[in-house]
Amino acid sequence: MLELRNYIDGELVAPVGGTYLDNIEPATGKVYGRIPDSDEADVALAVAAAKKAFTSWSQTSIQERSAVMVRIADLIQARLEALARAESIDNGKPLSLARRVDIPRGSANFRYFAHAITQFHSEAYDMGPTGFNYTLRRPIGVVGCISPWNLPLYLFTWKIAPALAAGNTVVAKPSEVTPVTAYLLSEICIEAGLPPGVLNIVHGLGGKAGAAMVSHPEVKAISFTGGTSTGKIISKVAAPMFKKLSLELGGKNPNLVFADCDYEQALSTSIRSSFANQGQICLCGSRIYVERSIYDRFVKDFTERVAAMKVGDPLEEGTDMGAIVSRDQYEKDLAYIALAQEEGGKIETGGVPAEAPNERCAEGYFLRPTVITGLPPTCRTNQEEIFGPVVTLWPFDTEEEAIAYANGTQYGLSSTIHTTHLQRAHRVAAALEAGIVWINSWLVRDLRTPFGGVKASGVGREGGFEALHFFTEAKNVFVAH
Ligand code: NDP
């Protein structure tokens, strides 16, 4: 059985308390590994190691820091198949998706920030005869990175890479639900020659190991991705300690389909944005609003194609949708489907557990992709984040109405617009309350751009120089002439 270790001060070590949690494979429902159930003592060791390593890492030349990060990126790429398999088993996502998206993007995160730091610069302000100001940007110290289960390696590296590039040392916790790729990353860091203590990975529960990181006085900044309610708990602890905070939280993303769209493109992109990774991407569109003149046709075509999707063993080629990540999430999805029916929703397809694809997966957590109509934008199903393969469709009559529906939740992470009308595309993009707007596309990523949500979807921006700004403190120096 696979037994994970924490990565502290350059070594793979057992948890101080000696206790472990079960790791369950969602496609089989069976325990296949053990995870350190770390606590304050492990976090204290990790923070001490990070603190000790900070002086030397923050003074290591940018070229050297960059070189070791490029080696990590190369090793992730070289281990693509093993990492993709580990992620598929851990998470339930199709192996093909992990191979095509998650793992290459994990490697790209390290490579991008390894290069970005060599281009990072600070500003100077000339005050004429008085003098001038310049801005020094220096690493913060020990920082904490906490990530969720849905894109395990991809989101973990998205936080760690800019923190390390900027010269910080890191204590990081992956989700206890999907810890294996983080463990494999620790092996890669050792092989790549990352100095001891620069990155420390502590496995365990959020309420225990995660909470100990957030409240540790030596952890000066927290970069967190996860649910909005967890973000509130973390803020309550970290804000009075004046820690820097970046919170990437939940969403309930709208997908607006106008009658003047490229119909085929809108249809196929909407299917992907609804059900990729079993609907468990924070950027998935879960509320589809369609202009009334094409609504009936769109519902029919969308439903037919979704009904034909193959829910299968994540490890088999040809699987469109794998297993739901955990029994808890599976039950949550089913509870929301029941709620949707109580609220008067009509299940067009799905709404039920999927048949087990084979004997191996007999006890796995499989759901049919679910399409629901007849629910107004204000009902709970359309207001609360489900984070599963469940989408609703509802018609709109005017552009104003579409914008009002889209903006009518507490969330503001991402949104999608399908239209070929140039002015409309830009007008609606500007009016949407969301950190990210995709026009006639979805999930296209440019690592230089700011990434994050508004309203209850978070504060702070990741990506590009925004991330390097977050992971540095700016100091202004005035020089008199
Ligand atoms: P959670 O908020 O439950 O957990 C996220 C991470 O926080 C996990 O590592 C968790 O550990 C840890 N954690 C939980 N409680 C605490 C605490 N009190 N102190 C410190 N850490 C804690 O989210 P999920 O893992 O369930 O992920 C799904 C959520 O993430 C969805 O809401 C989704 O929208 C959001 N998300 C947002 C993204 C964005 O970019 N905005 C991207 C991806 C997901 P453990 O797992 O052990 O509980």
Side-chain angles (χ1 to χ4, degrees):
M1 188 169 288
L2 181 65
E3 188 170 283
L4 305 190
R5 294 267 185 272
N6 288 331
Y7 171 47
I8 298 178
D9 208 10
E11 307 276 339
L12 298 174
V13 295
V16 174
T19 53
Y20 289 82
L21 304 159
D22 286 340
N23 193 9
I24 295 166
E25 179 180 1
T28 63
K30 297 204 168 66
V31 176
Y32 83 106
R34 300 205 314 154
I35 314 155
D37 181 11
S38 308
D39 60 21
E40 285 181 343
D42 303 281
V43 170
L45 288 176
V47 174
K51 198 173 172 203
K52 191 174 71 179
F54 178 68
T55 309
S56 140
W57 181 248
S58 58
Q59 287 170 15
T60 298
S61 74
I62 284 174
Q63 286 69 21
E64 271 180 70
R65 287 208 299 262
S66 175
V68 70
M69 290 181 62
V70 167
R71 284 201 294 281
I72 294 171
D74 287 344
L75 284 168
I76 294 174
Q77 198 58 40
R79 308 262 163 86
L80 189 143
E81 196 55 33
L83 284 161
R85 201 176 160 81
E87 180 145 323
S88 171
I89 293 172
D90 223 16
N91 176 275
K93 69 179 59 188
L95 174 58
S96 56
L97 184 69
R99 194 189 276 141
R100 199 178 64 249
V101 177
D102 296 71
I103 309 304
R105 286 187 175 194
S107 171
N109 288 339
F110 264 97
R111 198 175 305 283
Y112 171 78
F113 283 108
H115 295 307
I117 195 64
T118 68
Q119 308 300 313
F120 192 46
H121 55 272
S122 58
E123 311 80 17
Y125 307 88
D126 184 9
M127 292 181 75
T130 316
F132 69 96
N133 297 275
Y134 63 90
T135 306
L136 277 177
R137 290 192 187 275
R138 290 287 157 83
I140 302 169
V142 179
V143 301
C145 299
I146 301 176
S147 60
W149 47 256
N150 62 330
L151 306 166
L153 186 70
Y154 172 1
L155 291 176
F156 199 52
T157 53
W158 180 234
K159 301 181 166 302
I160 291 169
L164 294 180
N168 302 281
T169 52
V170 174
V171 177
K173 192 195 90 63
S175 170
E176 139 270 338
V177 179
T178 54
V180 177
T181 47
Y183 174 71
L184 297 175
L185 177 69
S186 50
E187 291 184 339
I188 285 174
C189 289
I190 294 170
E191 194 177 331
L194 189 71
V198 169
L199 171 62
N200 304 274
I201 299 176
V202 179
H203 295 273
L205 296 169
K208 202 159 141 185
M213 278 170 61
V214 173
S215 61
H216 197 299
E218 293 291 348
V219 176
K220 303 294 182 197
I222 299 287
S223 174
F224 168 80
T225 299
T228 296
S229 53
T230 315
K232 280 186 194 163
I233 295 170
I234 289 176
S235 301
K236 270 193 196 145
V237 177
M241 297 175 84
F242 306 110
K243 297 187 183 212
K244 263 186 131 175
L245 264 182
S246 171
L247 302 172
E248 297 299 337
L249 309 175
K252 187 75 183 174
N253 308 312
N255 175 0
L256 306 182
V257 182
F258 288 91
D260 55 21
C261 67
D262 172 340
Y263 187 81
E264 184 49 40
Q265 182 274 125
L267 195 58
S268 57
T269 304
S270 297
I271 289 171
R272 209 161 53 80
S273 66
S274 302
F275 299 111
N277 204 36
Q278 297 71 246
Q280 301 168 151
I281 300 181
C282 52
L283 306 165
C284 278
S286 52
R287 300 179 290 142
I288 309 180
Y289 297 115
V290 185
E291 195 162 351
R292 193 176 299 278
S293 59
I294 60 164
Y295 180 74
D296 289 342
R297 179 181 165 212
F298 192 90
V299 170
K300 180 173 170 294
D301 292 343
F302 186 80
T303 303
E304 264 174 32
R305 292 218 202 162
V306 172
M309 285 176 75
K310 184 177 172 205
V311 179
D313 185 334
L315 295 177
E316 278 174 13
E317 300 301 328
T319 290
D320 295 317
M321 255 183 49
I324 303 301
V325 73
S326 64
R327 174 161 288 283
D328 281 356
Q329 184 62 43
Y330 171 81
E331 283 169 1
K332 181 178 166 195
D333 294 345
L334 283 172
Y336 267 106
I337 290 166
L339 173 72
Q341 287 167 295
E342 278 163 35
E343 291 188 309
K346 177 181 174 213
I347 309 282
E348 299 285 345
T349 182
V352 288
E355 230 173 82
N358 56 31
E359 213 174 307
R360 184 184 99 81
C361 297
E363 305 293 321
Y365 318 132
F366 293 92
L367 264 186
R368 286 298 311 163
T370 300
V371 178
I372 305 172
T373 55
L375 288 175
T378 49
C379 72
R380 274 186 61 200
T381 311
N382 278 325
Q383 290 290 318
E384 297 175 16
E385 185 185 43
I386 302 173
F387 216 54
V390 182
V391 290
T392 61
L393 291 114
W394 181 258
F396 66 83
D397 289 301
T398 63
E399 191 178 299
E400 291 68 32
E401 195 176 43
I403 293 168
Y405 288 167
N407 290 342
T409 74
Q410 64 163 330
Y411 295 107
L413 186 52
S414 72
S415 50
T416 311
I417 306 168
H418 294 284
T419 177
T420 54
H421 187 310
L422 182 66
Q423 285 93 335
R424 186 202 300 280
H426 293 295
R427 200 166 51 228
V428 176
L432 288 174
E433 295 166 358
I436 303 148
V437 180
W438 279 291
I439 299 171
N440 301 324
S441 58
W442 179 70
L443 209 64
V444 179
R445 195 172 81 138
D446 181 332
L447 296 181
R448 297 166 301 178
T449 59
F451 174 91
V454 298
K455 304 197 307 197
S457 292
V459 290
R461 286 291 176 274
E462 302 187 340
F465 283 6
E466 303 268 349
L468 295 174
H469 281 158
F470 175 75
F471 283 117
T472 50
E473 299 280 21
K475 178 193 287 179
N476 192 67
V477 181
F478 171 71
V479 185
H481 279 318

